[in-house]
Amino acid sequence: MAAEKIPLLSPYKMGRFDLSHRVVLAPLTRQRSYNFIPQPHAILFYSQRTTKGGLLIAEAAAISETALGFKDTPGIWSKEQVDAWKPIVNAVHDKGGIFFCQLWHVGRVSNYSFQPNGQAPVSCTDKQLSPAVLSDGTIMEFSPPRRLRTDEITQIVNDFKSAARNAIKAGFDGVEIHSAYGYLIDQFMKDSSNDRTDAYGGSLENRCRFALDIVEAVVIEIGADRVGIRFSLFTADNECWDSNPEALGLHIVKSLNKWGLAYCHVVEPYTTDVEKRQQIRRIHLLMRAAFQGTFIVCGGYDREDGNKAILENHADLVAFGRLFLANPDLPRRFELNAPLNKYDKSTFYTSDPVVGYTDYPFLDSSS
Ligand SMILES: Cc1cc2nc3c(=O)[nH]c(=O)nc-3n(C[C@H](O)[C@H](O)[C@H](O)COP(=O)(O)O)c2cc1C
C-alpha cells in the first residue's frame, strides 16, 4: 500500500501544526535524567524518533521540586533544566519534528526522600498509598501525604504556569498537562482518592476544578493552541480510579471546549478482556464526539488497530509507547509493514545512557 493510503501515514492539521502523519511518540519516562537534569544522551533518543512533521511528546517533566517522585526524571522548573532541554528540542526541530513537553506533578506518589527538606508529599488527600513493587523488583514506599489547604492550590497552579513558560523558553512547541495515571491532577479528579469537602472535592464540577484551573492558567500563559491534556479515566494506577469514568470524562472534555486546546489525549488501560476494551472505546468515542478538537488515543495500539482507529474516525492521531520505544523508525516500519523490534521491559527505567535506550536498531541496520 502506498504511504498516503495507509491511514496512520496520512497528513493531519492539528491547529497551527501541519503533521505529515498520525503516529505520535507517547510520553515515556526513562529515568536517565541524572539528578533531575535532562542529559545529552536524550538528544539521540528523541532525534532517532523524529520525522519531518511528526508529533513527539516528551517524557513527563516535573514542574517543581515538590512534583518529584522518581529517581532521575527530568524537571522543567529551573534555568539549568531549561538550558539542558534546549539542545534536545533543537535536535527534534532540526529534523522537522513537533515537540510537546509533558508537565507532571506526582502528588502523593512520592516520599520524604524526594521532597524539599524531607517534607511530606502534597495531595488532595492525606490517604497514604500502599508500597508498590517497581519494575526492577524493588519496593517503593510512599510517605503519608499532606492534604493541600484550599489557599495553597493557587501555588501549584502557578507552578504549572511557570513550567509551561519554561517549556516554551526551552523551545518546545507546546505542553501536555499530565492528568493521567493517578498523579496529582488525577488524584483530584477521581473519587477513590479525592475526599475533600471544599470547592475542590465532592461533585464532578469540584473534582475537575483543579485540572481546569491549571488549563486556564497555562492557556493564558502560552496560548490554547499550544496546550494538550492527557487523561486515563479507566486506569487504577496509584490507587486512583473513578466510580463513573464516563460521567467524569464527558464532563471534563465538555468543560475544555471553551478554550480550544490543541488536543485531548486519552489512554486505554492494558487489558486482554475484549469486551472491557470495547466498552472503554465506546466511552472514548462519546468523549471524542463531545470534544471540539484533535483527539489522540493511546494504549495497546499496533499498526492494524491504529489504522482502523483513523479509518473509522475514532481518533485523529494515535500515540505509541512501547512500540516506539523499541522502534525508532516506527512510522517507516508501518509504511513498509516491516517486522518490529521487541521491547525489553528490563531496560525501561535503567540508567544506562545507551543500552535499552538508543541502541534499538533501525530497519536498515537490522535487516
Ligand atoms: C517506559 C514507559 C514510560 C512511560 N512514561 C510515561 C510518562 O512519562 N507519562 C505518561 O503519561 N505515560 C507514560 N507511560 C505510558 C505511555 O505513554 C503509554 O500510555 C502506555 O505505554 C500505553 O501505550 P502503549 O501500549 O503504546 O505502550 C510510560 C510507559 C512506559 C512503557
Side-chain angles (χ1 to χ4, degrees):
M1 219 189 311
E4 63 274 16
K5 296 270 172 56
I6 299 170
L8 279 171
L9 298 180
S10 59
Y12 176 76
K13 190 164 174 51
M14 183 177 84
R16 57 158 57 214
F17 304 105
D18 287 316
L19 307 185
S20 63
H21 62 78
R22 298 159 188 252
V23 182
V24 177
L25 175 68
L28 294 167
T29 292
R30 305 306 309 278
Q31 297 192 241
R32 285 155 167 91
S33 296
Y34 312 137
N35 209 15
F36 314 117
I37 309 290
Q39 297 294 311
H41 44 252
I43 296 174
L44 185 57
F45 176 78
Y46 285 107
S47 71
Q48 283 179 333
R49 285 156 186 76
T50 304
T51 45
K52 190 167 166 22
L55 174 63
L56 298 86
I57 305 163
E59 65 210 89
I63 58 154
S64 67
E65 279 183 297
T66 68
L68 293 166
F70 298 86
K71 183 173 164 271
D72 295 338
T73 50
I76 184 97
W77 72 83
S78 73
K79 181 169 184 314
E80 187 183 4
Q81 290 160 341
V82 171
D83 288 342
W85 276 112
K86 282 179 183 166
I88 304 167
V89 180
N90 286 344
V92 170
H93 284 162
D94 285 348
K95 289 179 78 176
I98 293 136
F99 204 11
F100 273 51
C101 178
Q102 195 187 44
L103 303 183
W104 191 30
H105 194 305
V106 301
R108 66 176 174 170
V109 190
S110 186
N111 62 43
Y112 301 133
S113 71
F114 289 105
Q115 295 296 315
N117 309 316
Q119 68 194 31
V122 295
S123 181
C124 60
T125 178
D126 53 15
K127 283 188 279 185
Q128 184 180 0
L129 290 178
S130 316
V133 184
L134 299 182
S135 58
D136 62 0
T138 56
I139 309 272
M140 176 152 175
E141 302 274 352
F142 302 102
S143 306
R146 184 175 70 75
R147 185 194 306 271
L148 283 162
R149 296 189 314 270
T150 314
D151 67 306
E152 289 177 299
I153 289 180
T154 319
Q155 180 56 50
I156 310 276
V157 172
N158 281 335
D159 290 342
F160 271 95
K161 186 165 87 170
S162 331
R165 185 168 54 236
N166 282 345
I168 299 300
K169 271 192 209 155
F172 282 103
D173 298 288
V175 301
E176 176 174 285
I177 297 170
H178 191 345
S179 314
Y181 288 126
Y183 296 112
L184 185 63
I185 304 178
D186 211 23
Q187 288 158 31
F188 270 86
M189 281 174 52
K190 290 180 176 165
D191 59 12
S192 75
S193 41
N194 187 328
D195 55 357
R196 300 178 74 88
T197 53
D198 65 357
Y200 290 87
S203 66
L204 267 184
E205 288 74 13
N206 283 359
R207 282 186 278 123
C208 291
R209 191 180 309 282
F210 180 57
L212 296 171
D213 282 358
I214 292 167
V215 169
E216 181 167 47
V218 172
V219 161
I220 291 170
E221 190 65 28
I222 65 169
D225 52 355
R226 294 188 183 277
V227 181
I229 189 160
R230 185 174 224 221
F231 301 113
S232 62
L233 299 156
F234 299 91
T235 63
D237 296 77
N238 298 314
E239 297 173 31
C240 201
W241 62 87
D242 198 77
S243 57
N244 191 346
E246 177 170 352
L248 180 61
L250 284 171
H251 175 78
I252 192 88
V253 290
K254 284 181 190 159
S255 312
L256 292 172
N257 281 336
K258 78 175 198 207
W259 288 293
L261 298 190
Y263 66 79
C264 171
H265 184 177
V266 296
V267 180
E268 296 171 20
Y270 302 140
T271 172
T272 48
D273 182 337
V274 178
E275 219 166 283
K276 193 168 169 207
R277 180 165 247 238
Q278 278 170 353
Q279 166 75 350
I280 289 169
R281 289 192 173 173
R282 188 187 64 76
I283 296 170
H284 279 158
L285 207 52
L286 296 176
M287 286 173 62
R288 167 164 174 67
F291 180 70
Q292 295 157 6
T294 296
F295 201 73
I296 310 180
V297 293
C298 181
Y301 283 83
D302 57 14
R303 182 181 188 270
E304 191 186 335
D305 242 9
N307 276 330
K308 199 160 172 274
I310 302 297
L311 198 63
E312 295 179 355
N313 199 23
H314 289 188
D316 299 302
L317 306 172
V318 183
F320 296 87
R322 292 161 301 171
L323 295 187
F324 223 149
L325 183 155
N327 293 274
D329 49 359
L330 190 64
R332 175 88 177 131
R333 289 185 192 237
F334 282 167
E335 181 185 338
L336 302 175
N337 202 9
L340 300 180
N341 299 325
K342 290 201 177 9
Y343 53 83
D344 177 3
K345 271 189 185 174
S346 72
T347 53
F348 278 178
Y349 304 108
T350 43
S351 337
D352 195 285
V354 176
V355 179
Y357 191 49
T358 50
D359 61 351
Y360 282 105
F362 282 75
L363 204 49
D364 296 341
S365 51
S366 62
S367 58

